[in-house]
């Protein structure tokens, strides 16, 4: 027994594919000047050694190492994340590009002896009792790739540590991920303790068992359905959006 | 030393069918799994606030167990299995898990005595073997985990299961970098080493308590890949890479059976059809009736060879049709009734093939897991069954070959999926055939790249 499956399913992903390859689309977006073009291409390809080599050439040519972070590395990373947002490339490409960009940033900081000012600081954690941290790892990588400073508290993180980190770092946002229903109950405690301390910053929550209904039960909670929502939410905060506007934008159900 | 599988339990793929396995297993209250009929296996999670105390948790499980049993009797179903996947509080405090199992089994006994309904109870302690930042597979948490198994076995759990995490520290790194050798190392090698250890001990407890060491699933790894891959329009991971990870998970889940598991395999082990082809042991599966927990692209196909049919997990709460566990257990039971009618009327293979064909071409994952192709992956594993590395590599190669040989008009893949497939094939061709070389090279590579990898402490290298 066999069938012609064309009436059983629709291959929407194939139908939506762009005619151009991701590499061709990326090449159209690279800056024209060298060595910026080569460095951006190396970031897109996730080739860390080539990024460093390009930076060395740029610095030898008189470029300011710290200025290269914003002027070249972040530009290259944005090409990758823009193509990811457009659905042209996939998450592993972003992760590998982020690895290459972060290595480039470290190199520039070493060469320049100082560090650029990040767009803002964000505290990331996995709920207490929960050891599943791949979602948090993706969120942290995407935030770093977008130019934010990430304080990563890791997995199975006690509420006390989240509160202490927020008090110390004064972040613009906290993120929490959880896979299990009973561990995500810790999010309510984080919310309540932040409010008790008079801290009213957005608390982005997501992960396997987490849903919008649960997150809306506490005042600071904003539901993040996708990891890629995290940098979008951070950018929205930078643009002046408050809690209510964040919920309006990111609460989809 | 455990005895590895080097041959197939079934002579041909077509011999594999739902509801029937070569080696059925029995529960205490009349239920037999894989003995010619399919049974619903209901799985559930307590509401978030129930985790604050033992009393609240036990009360939650008492209520939901009663709900499920009452609904099964109300609608006239002949059998039902319950699976309690522990929340971390229950495994970290073995007496909590034991109390829940006792309460559940008591209720099930009452219903069995009064109505004759056949029941089975599976308990699945959580894999708590970790420190704050690291997997800690051997040590104090391992001892607590074994105490939890003892407690739930003492309290009446018929089947003992777990979803082990061995190798996950490398998997989480490799899967986000399209690293196929990393998948083989994480799942096929490290995962199998850990499985061999832990299932030997679970089997000892099961034998001592008169229970059944059931089975594992590569939830922590292959399901991570599947969930990241998502649906057709998601852009997080190529589905071709997700099914390669799944193929590699079959020899890893097989390691549990080699160390003493007897089935039923765990519901979210989508690799179970491959495993069943090698072991002949019964399996649980989930698909179209587990959309309460997650979406996948093979909702009908995975029913093809199931012996238990599960809903994965649903939070306990109210729905219009009753509580959530009542609604989902009813849906599962109607599915099981349909399968059993097909068997009774001699139409089982026809229904199996209809289920398969409704999804076989939907996605590379379903295509490879269709029982005919799953059987081929099984054969590739058994061919070098004595070598944990080679059989994992064989599984990946078989998966790639099956996809490359597919009719491109039926299994249509995107350019990205085909590109990832070609990259994986190239990576596989570049890999050594020498296990020792692969193991030592991989250890050095990942020690350098993954800060939380502790080969000596976790895998006794």
């Amino acid at each position: 027994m066999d069938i012609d499956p064309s009436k059983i399913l629709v291959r929407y992903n194939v139908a939506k594919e762009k005619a151009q390859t991701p590499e061709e689309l990326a090449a159209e977006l690279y800056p024209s000047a060298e060595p910026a073009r080569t460095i951006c291409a190396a970031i897109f390809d996730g080739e860390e050694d080539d990024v460093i080599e390009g930076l060395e050439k740029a610095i030898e040519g008189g470029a300011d190492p710290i200025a290269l972070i914003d002027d070249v590395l972040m530009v290259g990373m944005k090409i990758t994340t823009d193509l990811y947002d457009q659905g042209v490339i996939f998450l592993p490409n972003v992760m590998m590009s982020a690895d290459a960009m972060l290595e480039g940033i470290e190199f520039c900081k070493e060469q320049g002896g100082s560090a650029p000012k990040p767009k803002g600081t964000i505290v990331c954690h996995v709920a207490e009792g929960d050891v599943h941290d791949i979602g948090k790892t993706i969120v942290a990588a995407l935030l770093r790739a977008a130019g934010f400073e990430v304080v990563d508290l890791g997995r199975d993180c006690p509420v006390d540590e989240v509160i202490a980190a927020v008090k110390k770092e004064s972040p613009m946002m906290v993120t929490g991920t959880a896979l299990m229903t009973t561990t995500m109950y810790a999010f309510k405690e984080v919310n309540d303790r932040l409010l008790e301390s008079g801290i009213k910053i957005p608390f982005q929550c997501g992960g396997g068992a987490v849903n919008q209904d649960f997150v809306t039960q506490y005042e600071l909670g904003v539901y993040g359905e996708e990891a890629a929502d995290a940098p979008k939410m951070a950018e929205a905060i930078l643009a002046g959006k408050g809690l209510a506007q964040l919920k309006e934008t990111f609460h989809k159900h | 030393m455990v005895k590895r599988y080097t041959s197939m339990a079934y002579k041909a793929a077509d011999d594999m069918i739902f509801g029937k396995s070569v080696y059925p297993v029995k529960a205490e209250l009349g239920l037999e799994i894989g003995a010619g009929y399919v049974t619903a296996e209901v799985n559930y999670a307590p509401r978030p606030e129930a985790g604050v105390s033992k009393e609240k948790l036990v009360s939650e499980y008492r209520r939901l167990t009663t709900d499920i049993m009452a609904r099964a009797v109300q609608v006239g179903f002949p059998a039902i299995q319950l699976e309690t996947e522990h929340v971390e509080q229950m495994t970290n405090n073995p007496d909590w898990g034991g109390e829940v199992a006792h309460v559940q089994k008591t209720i099930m006994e009452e219903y069995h005595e009064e109505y004759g309904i056949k029941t089975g109870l599976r308990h699945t302690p959580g894999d708590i073997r970790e420190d704050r930042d690291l997997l800690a597979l051997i040590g104090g948490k391992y001892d607590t985990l074994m105490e939890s198994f003892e407690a739930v076995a003492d309290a009446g759990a018929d089947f003992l299961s777990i979803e082990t995490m061995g190798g996950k520290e490398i998997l989480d790194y490799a899967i986000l970098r399209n690293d196929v050798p990393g998948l083989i190392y994480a799942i096929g090698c490290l995962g199998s080493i850990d499985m061999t250890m832990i299932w030997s001990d679970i089997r000892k407890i099961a034998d001592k308590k008169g229970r059944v060491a059931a089975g594992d699933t590569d939830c922590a790894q292959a399901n991570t890949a599947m969930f990241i891959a998502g649906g057709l329009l998601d852009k997080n991971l190529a589905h071709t890479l997700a099914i390669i990870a799944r193929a590699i998970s079959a020899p890893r889940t097989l390691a549990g059976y080699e160390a003493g598991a007897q089935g039923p395999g765990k519901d979210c082990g989508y690799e179970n059809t491959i495993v069943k082809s090698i072991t002949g042991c019964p399996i649980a599966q989930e698909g179209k009736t587990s959309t309460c927990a997650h979406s996948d692209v093979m909702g009908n196909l995975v029913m093809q060879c199931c012996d238990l049919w599960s809903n994965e997990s649903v939070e306990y709460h109210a729905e219009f049709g009753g509580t959530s566990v009542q609604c989902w257990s009813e849906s599962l039971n109607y599915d099981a009734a349909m399968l059993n009618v097909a068997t009774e009327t001699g139409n089982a293979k026809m229904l199996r093939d209809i289920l398969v064909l409704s999804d076989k071409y939907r996605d590379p994952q379903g295509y490879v897991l269709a029982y005919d192709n799953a059987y081929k992956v099984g054969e590739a594993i058994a061919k070098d069954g004595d070598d944990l590395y080679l059989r994992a590599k064989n599984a990946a190669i078989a998966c790639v070959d099956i996809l490359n040989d597919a009719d491109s008009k039926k299994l249509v893949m995107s350019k990205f999926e085909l590109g990832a497939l070609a990259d994986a094939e190239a990576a596989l061709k570049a890999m050594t055939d020498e296990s020792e070389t692969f193991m030592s090279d991989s250890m050095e590579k990942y020690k350098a790249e993954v800060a939380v990898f502790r080969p000596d402490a976790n895998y006794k290298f």
Side-chain angles (χ1 to χ4, degrees):
Chain A
M1 192 194 296
D2 204 358
I3 55 161
D4 168 5
S6 60
K7 291 179 182 163
I8 307 295
L9 69 102
V10 181
R11 184 62 58 184
Y12 294 103
N13 53 343
V14 174
K16 279 182 70 76
E17 272 193 318
K18 303 274 192 301
Q20 286 176 291
T21 66
E23 289 73 20
E24 288 166 347
L25 284 165
E28 287 179 2
L29 301 171
Y30 297 148
S32 53
E34 289 290 2
R37 184 175 182 83
T38 302
I39 295 171
C40 288
I43 289 175
F44 182 77
D45 292 335
E47 296 290 348
E48 296 167 9
D49 293 346
D50 293 348
V51 170
I52 303 300
E53 194 179 310
L55 291 171
E56 283 171 341
K57 279 186 188 163
I59 293 165
E60 281 167 20
D64 172 20
I66 300 304
L68 281 171
I69 295 175
D70 278 344
D71 296 348
V72 179
L73 294 175
M74 295 305 296
V75 171
M77 192 67 223
K78 189 165 187 311
I79 293 169
T80 300
T81 49
D82 282 353
L83 290 178
Y84 173 64
D85 284 342
Q86 292 169 29
V88 174
I89 58 171
F90 280 47
L91 183 63
N93 305 90
V94 180
M95 299 299 287
M96 291 186 280
S97 290
D99 285 350
M101 179 203 68
L102 291 170
E103 192 146 322
I105 289 176
E106 285 309 307
F107 178 78
C108 289
K109 285 202 262 184
E110 286 166 18
Q111 298 294 311
S114 64
K117 195 172 184 304
K119 287 181 180 173
T121 300
I122 294 160
V123 169
C124 297
H125 83 287
V126 181
E128 185 168 7
D130 204 322
V131 297
H132 303 88
D133 64 353
I134 193 166
K136 182 268 300 167
T137 301
I138 295 169
V139 164
L142 294 177
L143 286 168
R144 287 192 178 110
F148 294 93
E149 174 82 20
V150 172
V151 177
D152 186 346
L153 301 179
R155 54 192 196 161
D156 189 10
C157 184
V159 172
D160 285 345
E161 283 190 33
V162 181
I163 305 304
V166 170
K167 287 180 177 172
K168 181 176 173 226
E169 306 288 346
S170 301
M172 57 191 286
M173 180 170 92
V174 186
T175 78
T177 58
L179 187 68
M180 318 291 288
T181 52
T182 55
T183 59
M184 73 186 188
Y185 200 60
F187 292 159
K188 288 185 84 152
E189 287 185 53
V190 169
N191 173 82
D192 294 348
R193 295 275 304 281
L194 287 173
L195 289 176
E196 279 169 22
S197 304
I199 301 169
K200 280 198 168 189
I201 55 172
F203 179 24
Q204 187 209 16
C205 301
V210 183
N211 57 48
Q212 190 177 303
D213 281 352
F214 180 73
V215 175
T216 51
Q217 289 175 27
Y218 40 93
E219 182 180 337
L220 303 176
V222 186
Y223 177 58
E225 188 161 276
E226 303 283 342
D229 285 342
K232 289 175 189 162
M233 218 174 279
E235 295 286 357
I237 295 167
L238 281 184
K241 290 198 172 174
L243 258 174
Q245 290 167 301
L246 289 176
K247 289 179 183 181
E248 196 176 313
T249 305
F250 291 96
H251 287 188
K252 299 164 183 166
H253 306 294
Chain B
M1 288 290 285
V2 299
K3 188 174 186 320
R4 301 285 175 200
Y5 282 97
T6 55
S7 60
M8 305 293 283
Y10 290 88
K11 287 191 176 128
D14 190 50
D15 295 342
M16 296 167 66
I17 192 73
F18 49 77
K20 191 166 171 47
S21 63
V22 180
Y23 305 108
V25 292
K26 287 182 181 173
E28 201 170 25
L29 300 176
L31 183 65
E32 198 165 359
I33 298 168
Y37 57 94
V38 174
T39 301
E41 180 171 38
V42 193
N43 195 337
Y44 30 75
R47 285 167 286 197
E49 60 272 26
V52 297
S53 71
K54 179 181 174 181
E55 290 69 29
K56 280 200 167 187
L57 261 184
V58 171
S59 170
E60 186 92 335
Y61 282 104
R62 178 181 292 113
R63 274 185 285 179
L64 66 85
T65 302
T66 305
D67 285 355
I68 294 167
M69 296 310 302
R71 179 61 61 94
V73 169
Q74 287 282 0
V75 189
F77 297 121
I80 194 156
Q81 163 127 328
L82 272 60
E83 180 187 7
T84 301
E85 287 187 353
H86 286 198
V87 294
E88 60 92 10
Q89 296 91 328
M90 287 162 65
T91 309
N92 278 312
N93 304 284
D95 64 309
W96 290 33
E99 179 71 17
V100 169
H102 171 71
V103 164
Q104 291 190 286
K105 192 61 178 279
T106 302
I107 295 165
M108 294 164 83
E109 283 168 347
E110 289 165 2
Y111 273 86
H112 179 70
E113 280 173 24
E114 186 163 1
Y115 300 102
I117 184 169
K118 297 173 183 173
T119 67
L121 177 64
R122 186 203 300 260
H123 261 244
T124 304
D127 194 344
I128 55 169
R129 298 174 299 159
E130 30 70 32
D131 287 330
R132 171 73 187 277
D133 296 314
L134 299 154
L135 284 185
L137 300 178
I138 301 167
K141 288 291 187 78
Y142 188 87
D143 298 338
T144 304
L145 181 56
M146 289 302 134
E147 285 172 30
S148 178
F149 276 113
E150 295 240 5
V152 298
D154 263 339
D158 298 289
F159 302 108
L160 309 180
S161 277
I162 186 172
E163 300 176 348
T164 51
M165 305 243 289
K168 186 163 172 63
E169 72 281 53
I170 304 300
L171 182 280
D172 283 357
Y173 178 84
I175 197 67
L176 295 177
R177 289 163 179 81
N178 288 340
D179 175 2
V180 172
L183 301 185
I184 289 175
Y185 187 57
I187 303 172
C189 300
L190 300 179
S192 296
I193 290 168
D194 180 48
M195 289 276 287
T196 303
M197 172 185 72
I198 195 166
W199 276 97
S200 299
D201 286 339
I202 295 169
R203 176 62 187 264
K204 283 178 199 162
I205 292 170
D207 285 350
K208 188 169 67 179
K209 307 287 183 187
R211 307 299 179 189
V212 178
D216 209 305
T217 160
D218 195 41
C219 189
Q221 304 188 94
N223 287 3
T224 297
M226 181 176 78
F227 295 146
I228 293 175
L232 294 181
L233 297 184
D234 289 317
K235 298 292 176 185
N236 289 328
L237 187 74
H239 290 204
T240 40
L241 203 66
I243 186 57
I244 290 170
R246 178 68 64 190
I248 299 166
S249 77
R252 171 252 177 227
T253 298
L254 182 68
Y257 292 86
E258 291 166 332
Q262 299 171 283
K266 273 275 294 162
D267 54 347
C268 61
Y270 285 68
E271 66 274 20
N272 275 346
T273 305
I274 304 170
V275 176
K276 185 173 181 177
S277 76
I278 302 170
T279 64
C281 293
I283 58 173
Q285 291 280 248
E286 64 189 41
K288 69 187 177 72
T289 323
S290 67
T291 51
C292 50
H294 63 82
S295 169
D296 65 48
V297 281
M298 44 200 156
N300 288 335
L301 180 141
V302 281
M303 200 182 235
Q304 59 190 345
C305 298
C306 71
D307 300 290
L308 292 169
W309 183 237
S310 165
N311 66 315
E312 162 69 84
S313 189
V314 65
E315 185 190 278
Y316 185 52
H317 59 240
E319 303 280 7
F320 286 145
T323 59
S324 57
V325 293
Q326 291 180 311
C327 299
W328 287 95
S329 64
E330 186 171 338
S331 294
L332 288 169
N333 270 299
Y334 278 118
D335 282 347
M338 175 185 66
L339 297 172
N340 293 332
V341 167
T343 299
E344 289 295 317
T345 57
N347 291 305
K349 285 191 175 178
M350 181 180 287
L351 178 56
R352 175 197 64 187
D353 290 351
I354 290 170
L355 291 166
V356 169
L357 285 173
S358 76
D359 292 334
K360 184 173 181 181
Y361 303 108
R362 193 173 300 282
D363 190 84
Q365 296 173 90
Y367 187 78
V368 174
L369 293 177
Y371 68 90
D372 53 340
N373 287 325
Y375 189 86
K376 291 178 191 168
V377 178
E379 288 179 307
I381 293 163
K383 183 177 64 149
D384 287 308
D386 284 325
D387 187 315
L388 293 181
Y389 162 62
L390 278 184
R391 70 189 201 175
K393 184 183 164 199
N394 289 354
I397 291 171
C399 176
V400 170
D401 289 345
I402 288 165
L403 291 176
N404 280 334
D405 290 345
D407 180 342
S408 61
K409 288 184 180 164
K410 289 186 176 174
L411 179 65
V412 182
M413 291 182 269
S414 68
K415 282 186 287 189
F416 183 83
E417 286 170 334
L418 289 167
L421 184 63
D423 289 347
E425 184 176 20
L428 286 164
K429 281 185 175 164
M431 290 176 72
T432 179
D433 285 332
E434 299 297 325
S435 294
E436 288 186 13
T437 305
F438 177 77
M439 293 300 284
S440 59
D441 288 355
S442 297
M443 188 162 76
E444 289 311 310
K445 173 180 162 66
Y446 294 108
K447 269 173 81 174
E449 295 181 14
V450 181
V452 295
F453 179 36
R454 300 193 310 162
D456 301 336
N458 280 336
Y459 306 100
K460 298 181 183 174
F461 285 135

